[in-house]
């Protein structure tokens, strides 16, 4: 990379606190490191983009409940395949791209934020004690709370590998098959993955509506293709039925099975039930109500700055699933927001140091786009291309590892920072 001899260093430094070390939070931290070193951010497509002319000393602290980066979109496979589980979770300290003197990590949970004092209270996972971190800029990227088996509940890699092994053994040893309840994006991926990895096991997917993916703003032919691929894979699909009762039954040899009663009175006996009904709750409980909408999502401007009536709003930014932003929530969107938040915070820092007016990049509305990994095939919908499916599409959208390498390389996690 050619050196920029005209780069000067500003006379003050900034502390940035990032809540959540996943797609949104890490993308923001890494793009901000690039910019602060007077480099074009790694996510910029424009070959004509000019690097900044100032270096800005920054110290970024990322707080996360987990001890590492978990490739969340691979969760249905990570919980079903031991080899993939090990790949899907990497401790922050083992990621080459995060080793930088400008970047440090705290494993802990943010419990409250004082906007006025610009201080966050954190419960440290190691010591269980409360500590405070003051900041000049805060980036909230802590996503949504999701239950098991949509995502693992472990906070440390070793515990996660144990949790995944137990889950796999429950599925493998289930007598009379496995039932997945809920035909949303998570349920359909989970059912396909379980069938591919356990072909001898009967896998049934039960969905309360007549159409799979009924809460997604996507056309019927997309949902129909998903249903056909599931059936081709060997998953039994039951539509338009609610599970109204789940009763444990002990059999003679002491193995437990479950008796499910469906809304039409049908009875299904199964060895294991997985609830994939999406109960996603924003993790924003550490923020005061003024910053949030009624559902608990952070109100933002298109620049990603908090738009609620709070003190120091221009020092508070949000990225990813936790934002009140229209459209299907996706990991690509979270990383894109991280990139934009970093550019805009950098603009704000420059303005503080040089007095120049910040020139913010504004986010465009997200289109209704979805890609699903269903065992060997992927199905996608975009407004331009409509519904597509196939094994080649699987390779281009997810590679061979549920998109893990694609995200890892996009954020350059394998390269020295
Ligand atoms: C099973 C599944 C499959 C998916 N498949 C796809 C797909 O194929 N394609 C796609 O684009 N999207 C997919 N998604 C959606 C995608 O995963 C999300 O949009 C993405 O993870 C959002 O990223 P984020 O950085 O905003 O939040 P998250 O990835 O949710 O990360 C939030 C982070 O914050 C941490 N955290 C939470 N609360 C606190 C706190 N109080 N203090 C400190 N840290 C905290 C968490 O530990 C976590 O690491 C899928 C989601 C699921 C659940």
């Amino acid at each position: 990379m050619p050196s920029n001899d005209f780069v000067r260093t500003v006379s003050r430094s900034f502390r940035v606190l990032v809540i959540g070390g996943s797609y949104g939070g890490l993308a923001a931290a890494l793009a901000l490191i690039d910019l602060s070193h007077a480099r074009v951010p790694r996510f910029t497509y424009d070959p004509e983009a000019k690097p900044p002319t100032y270096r800005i000393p920054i110290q970024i602290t990322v707080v996360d409940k987990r001890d590492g980066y978990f490739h969340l979109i691979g969760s249905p496979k990570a919980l079903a395949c031991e080899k993939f589980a090990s790949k899907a979770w990497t401790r922050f300290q083992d990621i080459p791209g995060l080793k930088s003197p400008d970047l440090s990590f705290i494993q802990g949970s943010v419990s409250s934020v004082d906007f006025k004092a610009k201080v966050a209270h954190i419960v440290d996972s190691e010591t269980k004690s409360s500590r405070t971190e003051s900041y000049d800029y805060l980036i909230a990227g802590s996503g949504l709370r999701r239950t098991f088996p949509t995502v693992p509940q472990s906070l440390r890699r070793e515990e996660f590998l144990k949790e995944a092994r137990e889950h796999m053994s429950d599925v493998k040893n289930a007598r009379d098959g496995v039932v997945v309840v809920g035909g949303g994006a998570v349920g359909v991926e989970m059912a396909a993955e379980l069938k591919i990895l356990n072909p001898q096991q009967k896998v049934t997917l039960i969905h309360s509506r007549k159409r799979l993916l009924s809460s997604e703003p996507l056309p019927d032919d997309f949902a129909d293709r998903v249903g056909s691929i599931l059936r081709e894979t060997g998953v039994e699909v039951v539509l338009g039925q609610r599970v109204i009762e789940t009763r444990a039954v002990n059999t003679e040899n002491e193995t437990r099975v479950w008796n499910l009663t469906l809304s039409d009175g049908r009875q299904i006996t199964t060895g294991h039930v997985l609830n994939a009904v999406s109960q996603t709750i924003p993790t924003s409980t550490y923020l005061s109500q003024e910053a949030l909408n009624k559902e608990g999502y952070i109100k933002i401007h298109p620049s990603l700055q908090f738009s609620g009536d709070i003190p120091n709003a221009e020092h508070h930014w949000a990225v990813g699933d936790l934002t009140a932003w229209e459209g299907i929530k996706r990991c690509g969107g979270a990383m894109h927001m991280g990139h934009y938040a970093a550019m805009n915070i950098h603009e704000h820092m420059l303005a503080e140091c040089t007095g120049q007016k910040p020139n913010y990049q504004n986010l465009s509305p997200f289109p209704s786009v979805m890609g699903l990994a269903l065992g060997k095939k992927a199905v996608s919908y975009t407004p331009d291309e409509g519904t597509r499916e196939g094994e080649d599409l699987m390779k281009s959208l997810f590679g061979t590892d549920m998109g893990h390498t694609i995200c890892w390389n996009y954020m350059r996690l394998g390269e020295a920072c």
Side-chain angles (χ1 to χ4, degrees):
M1 190 175 289
S3 72
N4 187 344
D5 295 334
F6 301 105
V7 171
R8 281 170 289 166
T9 302
V10 300
S11 57
R12 63 166 291 195
S13 61
F14 296 94
R15 282 158 309 169
V16 181
L17 185 68
V18 180
I19 309 177
S22 184
Y23 308 105
L26 290 183
L30 291 167
L32 205 44
I33 288 179
D34 290 340
L35 286 160
S36 69
H37 285 258
R39 296 191 299 249
V40 171
R42 63 195 65 201
F43 307 114
T44 302
Y45 281 117
D46 181 4
E48 307 283 303
K50 299 249 181 320
T53 50
Y54 285 94
R55 275 193 204 92
I56 305 181
I58 56 169
Q59 185 56 53
I60 303 179
T61 304
V62 177
V63 193
D64 201 294
K65 289 179 170 183
R66 297 186 181 128
D67 71 356
Y69 162 67
F70 175 59
H71 179 56
L72 186 64
I73 78 177
S75 195
K77 185 165 181 169
L79 284 169
C81 167
E82 193 159 2
K83 206 166 141 214
F84 186 64
S86 175
K87 188 175 181 177
W89 186 306
T90 317
R91 292 184 310 166
F92 293 122
Q93 66 195 73
D94 297 330
I95 299 180
L98 301 179
K99 289 188 202 306
S100 159
D102 301 343
L103 187 58
S104 59
F105 287 83
I106 296 174
Q107 193 188 351
S109 180
V110 174
S111 54
S112 67
V113 167
D114 181 337
F115 297 128
K116 204 160 177 204
K118 291 196 272 177
V119 166
H121 296 265
I122 301 166
V123 180
D124 191 299
S125 300
E126 224 24 61
T127 59
K128 303 278 177 267
S129 59
S130 191
R131 60 188 277 184
T132 55
E133 280 291 315
S134 51
Y135 56 83
D136 298 301
Y137 294 91
L138 179 120
I139 306 175
S142 55
L144 306 176
R145 190 151 59 78
R146 298 176 165 103
T147 50
F148 182 85
T150 299
V151 296
Q153 300 299 300
S154 309
L155 301 177
R156 291 192 173 81
R157 185 173 187 274
E158 287 313 311
E159 289 164 13
F160 157 67
L161 294 177
K162 191 163 163 272
E163 184 182 6
R165 271 196 299 274
E166 280 168 12
H167 178 66
M168 287 167 220
S169 139
D170 286 345
V171 168
K172 222 171 234 110
N173 300 329
R175 272 190 51 193
D176 299 320
V178 177
V179 166
V180 177
V181 181
V186 173
V188 297
E189 287 197 337
M190 196 187 287
E193 209 53 59
L194 291 177
K195 187 65 194 173
I196 292 281
L197 291 163
N198 304 276
Q200 74 297 342
Q201 190 61 283
K202 181 178 167 194
V203 178
T204 307
L205 175 70
I206 303 177
H207 187 55
S208 58
R209 303 295 175 89
K210 291 240 161 65
R211 199 194 94 150
L212 289 169
L213 303 154
S214 46
S215 56
E216 305 290 356
L218 296 166
D220 287 345
D221 75 316
F222 178 78
D224 292 344
R225 288 313 305 150
V226 170
S228 320
I229 293 173
L230 283 176
R231 289 184 187 98
E232 278 166 27
T233 311
V235 174
E236 209 161 290
V237 181
V238 178
L239 294 176
Q241 292 301 318
R242 204 169 277 283
V243 177
I244 54 171
E245 193 188 37
T246 306
R247 203 161 40 85
V249 185
N250 285 322
T251 56
E252 278 161 18
N253 61 5
E254 307 247 308
T255 40
R256 177 174 276 193
V257 292
W258 302 89
N259 217 336
L260 307 186
T261 308
L262 307 191
S263 36
D264 64 357
R266 213 182 313 172
Q267 304 277 318
I268 292 183
T269 302
T270 182
H272 197 49
V273 184
L274 295 167
N275 185 2
V277 176
S278 49
Q279 288 151 338
T280 47
I281 302 163
T283 55
S284 56
T285 44
Y286 52 84
L287 297 173
S288 61
Q289 282 305 316
E290 297 77 54
L292 309 174
N293 72 6
K294 269 195 236 121
E295 289 81 36
Y297 292 89
I298 301 175
K299 294 186 283 192
I300 51 163
H301 293 295
S303 65
L304 295 154
Q305 197 174 85
F306 279 37
S307 64
D309 184 17
I310 60 155
N312 292 317
E314 71 279 16
H315 292 268
H316 294 85
W317 300 73
V319 295
D321 282 6
L322 193 53
T323 57
W325 191 254
E326 279 296 301
I328 296 176
K329 298 197 180 293
R330 301 172 60 241
C331 88
M335 291 188 281
H336 183 60
M337 286 178 161
H339 176 200
Y340 269 43
M343 287 196 294
N344 291 339
I345 291 171
H346 179 257
E347 278 291 309
H348 194 271
M349 288 174 176
L350 275 182
E352 298 257 293
C353 297
T354 64
Q356 71 186 40
K357 201 171 169 290
N359 178 21
Y360 291 149
Q361 303 289 322
N362 285 329
L363 206 65
S364 303
F366 287 162
S368 286
V369 167
M370 187 175 266
L372 292 172
L374 298 174
K376 293 195 170 115
K377 285 186 180 174
V379 192
S380 72
Y381 174 81
T382 66
D384 291 343
E385 295 178 328
T387 298
R388 294 168 67 212
E389 64 157 276
E391 293 191 19
D392 285 348
L393 186 67
M394 179 74 171
K395 283 200 196 95
S396 65
L397 290 186
F398 295 98
T400 52
D401 56 6
M402 299 285 279
H404 179 263
T405 303
I406 294 173
C407 293
W408 182 270
N409 289 346
Y410 186 61
M411 290 193 275
R412 299 195 198 157
L413 294 180
E415 299 171 27
C417 196

